[in-house]
Amino acid sequence: AGRDLQQLSACFVLPIEDSLESIFESVKHQALIHQSGGGTGFSFSHLRPKNDRVASTSGVASGPVSFMRIFNMATEIIKQGGTRRGANMGILRVDHPDILEFIDVKLNPSELTNFNLSVGVTDAFMRALDQEKDYALVNPRTGRTVTRMKAAAVFDRLVDAAWNTGEPGMIFLDTINATNPTPHIGRIEATNPCGEQPLLPFESCTLGSINLAGFVTKGPRPKLDEPRLAKAIHTAVRFLDNVIDMNHYPLPEIEAITKGNRKIGLGVMGFADLLIKLNLPYDTDDALRMGERVMTFVAEQARAASAELARERGLFPNFKGSPLESEGRRVRNATVTTIAPTGTISIIADCSPGIEPLYGVTFTRTVMEDVRLTTVHPDFEARAKAAGIYSRRLLERIAANESIQTLTEIPADLRRLFVTAHDIDPDQHVRMQAVFQKCSDSGVSKTINLPASASKTDVAKAFRLAYRLGCKGITVFRTGSRANQVLSCANVQYC
């Protein structure tokens, strides 16, 4: 915000229709957004499949995946905002004829390196999967079924790819559109690069997150400081609404729909730190209840703040005809809550990212190709010192292990409290995402971390559970499934 450019949004979705003109217009728009510091999401589902007829040239189409490579290359040559590489989300509907090529493309680690990928899954597909039936693959150009496939066969390919590489994830399109706040304006087909912000074509959104670890009362029985948190939420909602008007938008189409819906996404970070301060292990029902309580409170206060702004500044322009009008919720913003990953801002705030558990009691974060940051959790350090066990040797022992659960020199109560991502059952990861999703207008960014030993059955169970519990999307990541990963816990040296 201190720069001359004044492009203040991070999340964008751009449309792609089935023509060369639309495709390359979107490449141009993507370049402008990346140049300004934003990330882009796309649905490639409208593009005709590979080998389909192209009447204008009497040739055949090359298919969505081939065009994705053009978007990927454009990202590669434009440094985002002068400081970081651009990011993209690529989505293809599960009923597109090229879905298997899309699922498999990142099995080659050199492919689409500037994209996150998610399969756009429908309720019809999930019913076919549950009933062990086949389903139709439909040519988007003609609307006709070109073949049928066993849902289980496609799901197994998706599970296999996700087990091997962490991608694709799943985006549950019908679940997303069931809570679309402006269906009269359009249907949601894509999300921002991290998947937590479903957006209409050309729409952007401004996100912000509150560090929950800063809202704990002091004393022998710490608790969530709700009065202070409420005040911060109201301030944050007002701030984010201001940003919509202060923003310098890359395209007039983006400005029009963004100001028409005035979506904001207030979320949280430092949730794992909050649980530790409240002496609640992450993998417990008490932690799930705390997650639901916190996000319910954030949502209620954010909606109240948006209602105050509506009385002061007016309703969002597309309010009339929206479900919010029929519900009697007169608000300034079509959405107010989102759970973002907060990968960068949590480093600045020195807290755990988003709603994730601790990745490690000590861990190394790779922030650039040759830059690594090593962290020891401050609460663990303080408690270890209080227990009289803190030493360089202890830190070296912790650094050499993914988990502290086998280190018997650490008291059992301390080991129990400081569970890390790979100590936690995948089901608990998904259930935590689901309790936050219940109270979030948009989506929830949460990685379902799996140990290297996890099976493909574990991945399949996580995918099915996420859908059943009402999550809007899911991403799994099995340790070691990529050559380069952002977080690791191994062989950290301390001085």
Side-chain angles (χ1 to χ4, degrees), residues 123-199:
D123 288 346
F125 174 82
M126 295 304 291
R127 283 194 298 271
L129 179 63
D130 287 342
Q131 296 166 9
E132 299 182 353
K133 292 183 177 180
D134 58 16
Y135 75 107
L137 299 185
V138 178
N139 184 331
R141 180 179 65 84
T142 63
R144 295 174 183 165
T145 298
V146 296
T147 188
R148 300 186 69 87
M149 292 189 66
K150 288 284 187 185
V154 176
F155 184 70
D156 288 348
R157 284 279 282 272
L158 173 55
V159 166
D160 183 74
W163 183 87
N164 275 291
T165 70
E167 291 190 79
M170 299 176 83
I171 294 289
F172 302 116
L173 294 173
D174 292 321
T175 304
I176 286 171
N177 280 286
T179 58
N180 179 358
T182 58
H184 59 306
I185 302 301
R187 184 170 175 83
I188 295 171
E189 298 180 312
T191 73
N192 71 323
C194 293
E196 78 276 12
Q197 191 60 56
L199 294 168

Side-chain angles (χ1 to χ4, degrees), residues 154-424:
V154 176
F155 184 70
D156 288 348
R157 284 279 282 272
L158 173 55
V159 166
D160 183 74
W163 183 87
N164 275 291
T165 70
E167 291 190 79
M170 299 176 83
I171 294 289
F172 302 116
L173 294 173
D174 292 321
T175 304
I176 286 171
N177 280 286
T179 58
N180 179 358
T182 58
H184 59 306
I185 302 301
R187 184 170 175 83
I188 295 171
E189 298 180 312
T191 73
N192 71 323
C194 293
E196 78 276 12
Q197 191 60 56
L199 294 168
L200 293 168
F202 287 117
E203 198 169 24
S204 70
C205 188
T206 303
L207 309 183
S209 298
I210 292 175
N211 179 8
L212 293 173
F215 295 88
V216 180
T217 61
K218 296 189 176 6
R221 300 190 67 182
K223 63 179 183 178
L224 185 68
D225 190 342
E226 291 188 352
R228 277 205 317 121
L229 180 57
K231 185 176 179 181
I233 292 166
H234 281 251
T235 301
V237 167
R238 181 174 289 267
F239 178 89
L240 291 170
D241 188 66
N242 289 347
V243 170
I244 294 171
D245 295 315
M246 293 296 296
N247 203 349
H248 179 76
Y249 295 92
L251 298 167
E253 299 96 325
I254 292 172
E255 181 170 12
I257 194 165
T258 300
K259 288 184 174 178
N261 291 334
R262 302 193 68 86
K263 286 181 180 176
I264 61 171
L266 181 63
V268 299
M269 55 186 171
F271 177 65
D273 298 332
L274 172 70
L275 293 179
I276 289 166
K277 291 178 185 297
L278 298 178
N279 297 304
L280 299 175
Y282 191 99
D283 58 341
T284 61
D285 289 343
D286 284 342
L288 291 175
R289 283 189 284 270
M290 178 54 66
E292 186 165 1
R293 175 187 160 192
V294 165
M295 199 58 205
T296 298
F297 186 80
V298 171
E300 289 174 348
Q301 293 297 321
R303 288 167 185 167
S306 186
E308 289 172 13
L309 288 173
R311 290 190 289 272
E312 178 184 328
R313 301 175 173 178
L315 301 163
F316 68 92
N318 291 330
F319 177 81
K320 189 170 180 58
S322 73
L324 296 173
E325 183 187 34
S326 60
E327 293 167 15
R329 280 176 50 198
R330 297 177 64 80
V331 288
R332 176 71 167 162
N333 314 95
T335 66
V336 292
T337 48
T338 302
I339 303 295
T342 73
T344 302
I345 62 173
S346 64
I347 299 174
I348 297 169
D350 195 19
C351 67
S352 57
I355 62 166
E356 303 287 359
L358 300 184
Y359 194 84
V361 175
T362 64
F363 62 85
T364 297
R365 189 189 306 264
T366 303
V367 292
M368 294 176 66
E369 190 171 328
D370 298 313
V371 178
R372 296 179 179 177
L373 302 179
T374 300
T375 303
V376 183
H377 196 279
D379 281 346
F380 178 83
E381 183 175 340
R383 292 176 188 237
K385 286 178 177 176
I389 61 168
Y390 189 81
S391 68
R392 177 193 174 100
R393 182 181 178 280
L394 178 67
L395 295 183
E396 289 173 346
R397 289 262 289 152
I398 293 170
N401 291 272
E402 201 168 66
S403 165
I404 66 170
Q405 300 308 309
T406 60
L407 303 183
T408 54
E409 62 265 47
I410 300 174
D413 61 338
L414 206 53
R415 278 182 276 147
R416 182 72 191 95
L417 183 59
F418 283 87
V419 291
T420 56
H422 295 100
D423 298 324
I424 297 166

